[in-house]
Amino acid sequence: MLIESLPTREREKGHENGREKGSDFSELSRRITDAGLLRRRPLYYTLRFGAVALALGGGVAAFLTLGNSWSQLLVAVALAVVFGQLGLAAHDLAHRQVFSRRRPSETGGLLVANLLLGMSYGWWMNKHTRHHANPNHEGKDPDVSPDILVWSRRQASKAEGLPRFVGKHQAALFFPLLTLEGLNLSFSSFRALRSPSMKRPVLEGTLLVAHFVLYFGGLFTVLSPGKALAFIAVHQGLFGIYLGSVFAPNHKGMPMIEEGTRLDFLRRQVLTSRNVRGGVLVDAFMGGLNYQIEHHLFPSMPTPALGRAQVITERYCAELGVPYCQTGLLASHREALRHLRSVGQPLRDAR
């Protein structure tokens, strides 16, 4: 879906003269600030990160206790969830939701992402910052760059090789491909160490190597080769599906912005993002990213404040007449998969 599919009135609002539309966000920001929703929540993050640390410690203890047993596959399932929560913790640290200062945020991010997850904090932060600046913008948002999957019919028309083959069936292949996402993040992290944009390649590389020495060393020391490989398949596969289930509902299937389209900050973030309803369980599962609209408008807002911000933002968008998308978790996945199938249609027709 391209941004032209939105009402013409909304597209024109992005570049009206007279009242500068940046003031729309300024007014929302004032309301959010007056409500005290940008204050740090040290107690919340102490309890949350403490719970994740206990879960990680419990998983490691269970692994060492069970020894060379097929019951370790249950540990692999549990640790996939813990790794997903670690990924959400690294995300919050990168956005300075936990600490207001850069140094402790970076230190925490390097330890959680590189050492515990095996993912480069510097590489991911660079990629994610570009995504936040231009969500769903072809050519600017790395999350919708054509790689294995295609995200627009324009990309499908230019696809060659493997993306062309996968694009024909990408809706059906989406979740199977997610099983490789954890390994893909690690591979991309090592590859990025040679990039000029990497600020601390030696430090990040050392932490990444330490992670995999501990990870593979522990698995192949305690388990037989067959059980170790099975553990890796279950753990990494479910970890990738968890990550994809958290991030895919947020923007996939929402309007894609073409080059040259002008939108103010508020509309650029709101029109390309989708919130997911579901209560406390969805909040915990998605780490607050189910409030994707509010997160994109206020990236440094602590997770527990997003629910109250959602009410304020939805009402404000209604005042402005800006479409505000919110749906259930299963419905959000249906919309994302429907979009993937739709943009792959030209490839199926060409066959």
Side-chain angles (χ1 to χ4, degrees):
M1 178 165 35
L2 298 175
I3 203 71
E4 294 98 349
S5 62
L6 295 168
T8 302
R9 174 169 160 270
E10 282 306 320
R11 289 161 47 208
E12 291 174 345
K13 278 186 176 182
H15 49 86
E16 286 178 346
N17 293 322
R19 184 187 178 193
E20 174 57 42
K21 289 292 115 177
S23 63
D24 285 345
F25 176 70
S26 299
E27 170 59 21
L28 175 61
S29 181
R30 183 191 64 78
R31 298 184 187 186
I32 292 293
T33 303
D34 289 348
L37 300 182
L38 297 177
R39 294 196 306 267
R40 295 293 173 271
R41 308 296 177 92
L43 178 59
Y44 165 82
Y45 279 108
T46 299
L47 294 175
R48 175 178 158 187
F49 288 3
V52 175
L54 286 174
L56 178 61
V60 172
F63 174 79
L64 295 174
T65 301
L66 286 173
N68 188 28
S69 166
W70 284 108
S71 299
Q72 294 282 19
L73 296 185
L74 296 176
V75 178
V77 173
L79 285 178
V81 177
V82 174
F83 268 46
Q85 288 294 319
L86 287 171
L88 293 170
H91 172 273
D92 288 7
L93 285 163
H95 280 295
R96 298 192 190 178
Q97 295 176 18
V98 184
F99 306 106
S100 59
R101 293 183 294 120
R102 179 178 61 85
R103 182 60 62 82
S105 298
E106 286 189 350
T107 301
L110 287 167
L111 291 175
V112 173
N114 290 61
L115 185 60
L116 297 182
L117 281 181
M119 179 188 76
S120 167
Y121 174 78
W123 163 77
W124 181 85
M125 188 169 182
N126 177 275
K127 175 177 175 288
H128 196 62
T129 299
R130 287 184 286 134
H131 158 70
H132 265 263
N134 293 283
N136 272 21
H137 192 302
E138 289 193 65
K140 294 184 178 180
D141 181 358
D143 287 358
V144 293
S145 296
D147 188 4
I148 297 298
L149 302 178
V150 293
W151 304 104
S152 71
R153 296 200 171 199
R154 182 194 310 248
Q155 293 176 1
S157 67
K158 299 178 181 179
E160 298 290 343
L162 184 60
R164 185 173 184 84
F165 171 77
V166 173
K168 298 175 185 179
H169 317 286
Q170 59 184 14
L173 293 174
F174 180 66
F175 282 102
L177 286 172
L178 283 180
T179 61
L180 303 174
E181 183 59 19
L183 297 175
N184 177 55
L185 291 174
S186 297
F187 175 76
S188 298
S189 297
F190 276 106
R191 187 174 56 184
L193 293 176
R194 297 177 295 177
S195 172
S197 63
M198 186 68 70
K199 295 180 180 178
R200 302 178 181 86
V202 175
L203 174 60
E204 293 220 27
T206 300
L207 291 173
L208 287 173
V209 169
H211 166 83
F212 283 104
V213 167
L214 292 171
Y215 184 77
F216 290 123
L219 288 176
F220 285 96
T221 298
V222 174
L223 303 178
S224 65
K227 292 186 180 71
L229 291 174
F231 187 101
I232 293 169
V234 172
H235 176 234
Q236 293 294 331
L238 292 179
F239 172 47
I241 290 175
Y242 186 175
L243 287 181
S245 298
V246 169
F247 287 97
N250 301 333
H251 301 282
K252 308 313 178 194
M254 296 302 292
M256 297 281 287
I257 302 177
E258 283 190 321
E259 191 67 39
T261 302
R262 297 172 58 193
L263 291 170
D264 67 292
F265 176 76
L266 184 141
R267 288 167 178 79
R268 185 165 68 248
Q269 304 299 338
V270 173
L271 297 177
T272 59
S273 302
R274 177 195 295 111
N275 276 13
V276 178
R277 294 188 296 263
V280 176
L281 290 179
V282 171
D283 288 358
F285 175 75
M286 299 187 69
L289 294 183
N290 45 313
Y291 300 106
Q292 189 68 193
I293 293 173
E294 289 68 35
H295 170 61
H296 263 254
L297 290 170
F298 304 96
S300 64
M301 180 181 290
T303 297
L306 290 168
R308 287 181 58 197
Q310 187 276 324
V311 176
I312 295 173
T313 303
E314 185 177 18
R315 289 175 180 171
Y316 184 64
C317 286
E319 292 175 21
L320 296 177
V322 175
Y324 183 99
C325 182
Q326 187 169 213
T327 186
L329 181 60
L330 294 180
S332 68
H333 282 291
R334 283 197 298 268
E335 291 178 13
L337 293 174
R338 190 180 300 121
H339 171 74
L340 287 173
R341 179 170 177 78
S342 174
V343 299
Q345 187 65 47
L347 296 175
R348 295 190 295 276
D349 291 344
R351 181 182 58 183

